[in-house]
Amino acid sequence: MTTSWGDVTLTRHPEDPRDPLRAWDAADEYLLNHLAETGIGLSGTVAVLGDRWGALVTALHAAGAGELVQISDSYLGREATRANLARAGAAPDAVRLLTTQDPPPERIDVLLVRVPKSLALLEDQLHRLAPAVHAETVIVGTGMVKEIHTSTLTLFERILGHTRTSLAVKKARLIHTTPDPAAAPGPNPWPYRYALPADTPAPGLAGRTVVNQAGVFCADRLDIGTRFLLGHLPHGLGHARVADLGCGNGVVGLAVALAEPDAELLFTDESYQAVASAEENFRTHAGEGRKAEFAVGDGLADVPAGSLDLVLNNPPFHSHQATTDRTARRMFADARRALRPGGELWVVGNRHLGYHVTLRRIFGNSELVASDPKFVVLRAVRR
């Protein structure tokens, strides 16, 4: 990526030379060009929210910015940031890397916001960052035109102060907000709690109140794909070691914990918000003394080979705005490696995604467990 402070080489994480998607886009370029052209002072605390693969902080480090802080919900994004900063010659502590679950900086002099896909996550984080903003804070957001809606601008306006947008350049826009110390945004509505429907198709789940941190997929209701999987979970697992891969708020793993008292559970997701939700839901409902593992990471990459008996998975098929099956393919391959011989991967997905073909390539087999007009549940066995 070419910037006013020099070229920076950027990759996503994990690095894959076959991946056609770049680690930056026109929105990142627009924001960086604006900072350079306007000469905005970067000597104070510069907080960057939603920097997807570290493009912004890597470039700002090259620009000689003061105290750089990145705030991200993505484990993969944070690992990409580490790699990109190291490639640029930055010291390991050059940028303070925070998660969306960490306490934010106490004072922010420049706030840069890469608009996330989730409006809820944006709302939550703006509420959390607002106390650190002062009257002289420079606030600039960025995103592709299709990512910035009236509702997006309304959040900036209500929580931080007067907001306007720029003209579009290469289908990207900037958001300019003037801090209003008198702003009264009201309470942060996140995390959100709701009761699972009475007809939830899993023993013991119906009517239980679950929590979702902002940004977790389908944060205000039970996802219909998850609902379908809940109605077709395997039974009689005994002391099986079970992973809820891409756990979201952990409802699938919780259903197993309630139905299978001897099963060992691992909840894993690349979202810090998701794992925090899953852990709270498990602690609340699984029963006193019941243990489980919770890991924010790159799927099952850090799980020992042959250590799992069952993997349950509702894989995402979007990477930010891009539609891709790359994440699902990596999840399936990681599951195969982590499963013992005879272990099983159970997957729910939209029928049109053709996961049965991918599973046959990776596992050598795929069995249809259940289907309806929209979803399929598939089973693959580690031979």
Side-chain angles (χ1 to χ4, degrees):
M1 181 176 71
T2 299
T3 78
S4 297
W5 309 286
D7 292 350
V8 290
T9 301
L10 304 167
T11 60
R12 296 185 172 216
H13 182 84
E15 293 186 33
D16 182 350
R18 300 166 297 176
D19 184 3
L21 301 175
R22 296 190 311 179
W24 76 96
D25 62 14
D28 297 315
E29 293 175 326
Y30 196 179
L31 175 57
L32 292 170
N33 288 338
H34 170 76
L35 294 175
E37 292 168 2
T38 56
I40 291 172
L42 301 173
S43 59
T45 299
V46 181
V48 184
L49 172 65
D51 187 8
R52 294 178 179 177
W53 304 103
L56 296 176
V57 294
T58 302
L60 291 171
H61 174 265
E67 182 187 0
L68 270 173
V69 181
Q70 185 200 66
I71 303 168
S72 174
D73 181 44
S74 170
Y75 173 87
L76 299 180
R78 280 164 54 88
E79 292 306 297
T81 299
R82 293 184 203 276
N84 289 327
L85 285 167
R87 189 181 297 109
D93 60 351
V95 178
R96 186 176 165 201
L97 301 180
L98 300 180
T99 79
T100 48
Q101 287 287 301
D102 291 326
E106 294 183 0
R107 177 187 172 91
I108 297 173
D109 300 300
V110 178
L111 174 60
L112 306 176
V113 180
R114 177 61 210 252
V115 173
K117 181 179 178 181
S118 167
L119 194 67
L121 182 60
L122 177 63
E123 180 179 30
D124 173 64
Q125 291 301 303
L126 293 184
H127 270 287
R128 286 169 58 89
L129 294 171
V133 169
H134 54 86
E136 303 304 317
T137 301
V138 175
I139 303 173
V140 187
T142 190
M144 301 306 292
V145 169
K146 62 185 178 182
E147 299 170 332
I148 298 176
H149 311 284
T150 301
S151 54
T152 310
L153 305 177
T154 299
L155 286 181
F156 277 87
E157 180 95 26
R158 176 169 58 83
I159 299 172
L160 297 179
H162 176 68
T163 296
R164 59 184 177 84
T165 57
S166 72
L167 296 174
V169 174
K170 295 182 181 179
K171 299 183 180 180
R173 287 190 186 277
L174 298 180
I175 299 170
H176 301 282
T177 297
T178 303
D180 178 5
N188 187 348
W190 299 97
Y192 182 80
R193 289 172 169 78
Y194 67 91
L196 292 168
D199 60 350
T200 300
L205 274 185
R208 290 182 184 264
T209 297
V210 292
V211 64
N212 271 22
Q213 298 285 336
V216 178
F217 178 66
C218 216
D220 59 350
R221 63 194 182 281
L222 181 63
D223 164 52
I224 56 176
T226 299
R227 171 192 277 275
F228 190 64
L229 178 59
L230 287 172
H232 301 282
L233 292 174
H235 301 292
L237 301 179
H239 292 273
R241 181 160 168 75
V242 182
D244 185 350
L245 172 59
C247 64
N249 70 356
V251 167
V252 171
L254 177 60
V256 173
L258 294 174
E260 308 284 344
D262 296 320
E264 299 178 24
L265 274 298
L266 166 65
F267 296 81
T268 181
D269 202 294
E270 78 103 14
S271 161
Y272 293 89
Q273 300 285 93
V275 173
S277 303
E279 184 164 5
E280 183 170 348
N281 288 325
F282 183 87
R283 304 292 182 215
T284 301
H285 298 294
E288 191 168 347
R290 188 70 186 270
K291 296 182 179 179
E293 294 180 49
F294 301 88
V296 181
D298 181 10
L300 299 173
D302 295 327
V303 174
S307 64
L308 297 176
D309 299 291
L310 174 65
V311 176
L312 304 171
N313 184 214
N314 181 1
F317 57 94
H318 289 93
S319 178
H320 301 294
Q321 296 295 329
T323 300
T324 175
D325 67 347
R326 180 171 177 259
T327 301
R329 284 187 280 110
R330 289 188 59 252
M331 283 181 159
F332 299 165
D334 281 351
R336 185 183 183 279
R337 182 195 59 79
L339 285 166
R340 62 167 178 77
E344 300 179 359
L345 168 65
W346 288 51
V347 176
V348 63
N350 295 74
R351 297 178 66 97
H352 72 273
L353 295 174
Y355 286 155
H356 62 291
V357 176
T358 307
L359 289 172
R360 284 175 188 152
R361 287 176 183 158
I362 295 172
F363 282 80
N365 64 92
S366 174
E367 174 190 340
L368 178 66
V369 175
S371 66
D372 70 6
K374 188 173 179 63
F375 295 102
V376 293
V377 174
L378 304 170
R379 169 180 172 268
V381 181
R382 170 78 159 93
R383 302 299 187 192

